[in-house]
Amino acid sequence: MKMLTRSMVRHAHAIAREVGARVVLLHADVIEEDADLNALIEDVNFRIILVSRRCDFTLPEELRDVCRVVQLPDIAMTRAGQVKVATLVAAAEDLVHAGDRILCLTGVDRSGSLDTIMVLDMGTEIELFSAGAADPLPPDVSPAVFERILNVASELGVEGREGRPVGALFVVGDCERVLSQSHQLVFNPFHGYPEEERNILDPRLEETIKEFSAVDGAYIIRGDGVVLCAARYLAPRGKLEEPLPQGLGARHEAGAAITVTTEAISVCVSQSTGTVSIFKRGRMILDIQKPRGRHADGL
């Protein structure tokens, strides 16, 4: 293990204890060899959330009491984007909570060296979170469903569709009230199919979801993952108390406004920038920017 990484781990342990951190968020993909990573976990000697893009990542039995794994979308993200997504997913899985302090250890993928320490306060860190982000999910939404939507949205933001940038809007949770404040723009392509064939948790549905992202309107998804409709025009009855950040358009405004009078959460992909924005209670709680240029791992 490289000297820099050993030094970072030693100082991370001391800092975590001094600042009263609840957990250490560790970017596992920096370390290539599992044996080195396991040794690193033991050296940290603190509660750890491992962050990885690997879907086959498993922990040794002896480390499972002190360590949990959070999976990131398998796409290029800035380092800040990785931290944002990992922290939000960890909150969705009830691994961190409002008021928690988190120490993050990260670095460039497969470099073998951890080179950055960040300390975040859940719910008070303005750059990463605003009100409501530390408790992100509606009560009827499964964390697995939210993570799947976030994964698909992130892939669309980075890759587009067939080489073209696309925008998309996903609204999940509180579906009855969302449906009552919306109507179909065109025929619903998911109408009439069995629920088990239109659940976003089924990997076979991914290409269909991406294909229909080019159609105007929103996806309405039930909290258990069943896609109720696509191409849905949102007509929210509430109004935003605060204007959205400059540069966000009608899709973002509709996605934000539908969360004012419902318990839903919306995930919006910007066609012009590829940024993924997440809205709850009429506010943007998180945005994940698409990497620019060659330095995809930059802050």
Side-chain angles (χ1 to χ4, degrees):
M1 198 181 304
K2 294 185 179 181
M3 185 178 299
L4 174 60
T5 296
R6 288 191 179 279
S7 177
M8 294 288 285
V9 167
R10 185 174 64 253
H11 286 90
H13 177 91
I15 294 170
R17 290 192 176 278
E18 288 176 11
V19 303
R22 174 183 172 85
V23 70
V24 172
L25 199 74
L26 175 61
H27 185 36
D29 295 346
V30 174
I31 311 299
E32 290 191 272
E33 299 296 330
D34 286 351
D36 289 341
L37 181 60
N38 294 340
L40 185 63
I41 293 170
E42 293 178 356
D43 287 346
V44 172
N45 191 28
F46 205 82
R47 293 178 298 275
I48 291 177
I49 297 175
L50 283 183
V51 179
S52 177
R53 293 189 180 93
R54 291 169 48 188
C55 59
D56 60 344
F57 193 90
T58 55
L59 284 171
E61 188 70 33
E62 62 271 17
L63 296 178
R64 293 179 184 176
D65 288 340
V66 296
C67 194
R68 298 289 296 272
V69 178
V70 164
Q71 188 177 350
L72 293 179
D74 189 16
I75 56 171
M77 285 188 286
T78 64
R79 202 176 305 185
Q82 292 170 354
V83 172
K84 290 178 182 182
V85 174
T87 309
L88 188 60
V89 171
E93 294 185 0
D94 203 33
L95 299 179
V96 294
H97 307 94
D100 284 349
R101 182 165 287 168
I102 304 168
L103 188 140
C104 305
L105 272 174
T106 185
V108 178
D109 281 4
R110 297 178 297 279
S111 67
S113 291
L114 296 165
D115 59 17
T116 301
I117 295 177
M118 300 172 62
V119 177
L120 303 178
D121 287 316
M122 285 291 287
T124 61
E125 179 61 50
I126 296 174
E127 180 186 357
L128 298 183
F129 300 96
S130 57
D135 181 23
L137 295 188
D140 63 332
V141 176
S142 160
V145 170
F146 173 70
E147 290 167 31
R148 187 64 188 144
I149 292 170
L150 187 59
N151 196 311
V152 172
S154 299
E155 290 177 359
L156 282 170
V158 170
E159 301 167 0
R161 187 64 181 160
E162 297 180 351
R164 297 178 292 104
V166 295
L169 178 58
F170 303 87
V171 182
V172 60
D174 201 6
C175 57
E176 290 188 8
R177 281 199 282 182
V178 172
L179 290 173
S180 72
Q181 299 181 50
S182 61
H183 61 263
Q184 286 298 133
L185 284 170
V186 296
F187 180 76
N188 176 18
F190 292 91
H191 178 74
Y193 289 89
E195 289 191 354
E196 62 270 18
E197 295 182 12
R198 49 189 173 98
N199 194 301
I200 198 168
L201 295 177
D202 186 343
R204 295 173 297 180
L205 194 64
E206 181 173 322
E207 286 303 308
T208 301
I209 294 286
K210 291 181 177 179
E211 187 66 29
F212 284 115
S213 66
V215 180
D216 287 341
Y219 286 97
I220 310 300
I221 302 174
R222 210 165 64 196
D224 60 359
V226 174
V227 181
L228 299 179
C229 46
R232 194 82 175 175
Y233 178 82
L234 301 181
R237 295 174 187 149
K239 293 184 178 181
L240 300 178
E241 294 181 2
E242 301 175 2
L244 295 179
Q246 196 169 15
L248 301 185
R251 179 184 289 115
H252 293 79
E253 185 171 357
I258 198 67
T259 68
V260 173
T261 54
T262 71
E263 292 295 318
I265 191 169
S266 62
V267 180
C268 187
V269 182
S270 170
Q271 183 172 354
S272 59
T273 66
T275 296
V276 176
S277 303
I278 302 172
F279 298 96
K280 184 183 180 185
R281 300 191 185 112
R283 297 183 178 182
M284 184 168 69
I285 62 172
L286 190 68
D287 69 316
I288 308 161
Q289 295 185 358
K290 176 180 176 179
R292 306 296 178 193
R294 297 171 56 191
H295 302 289
D297 287 304
L299 288 169

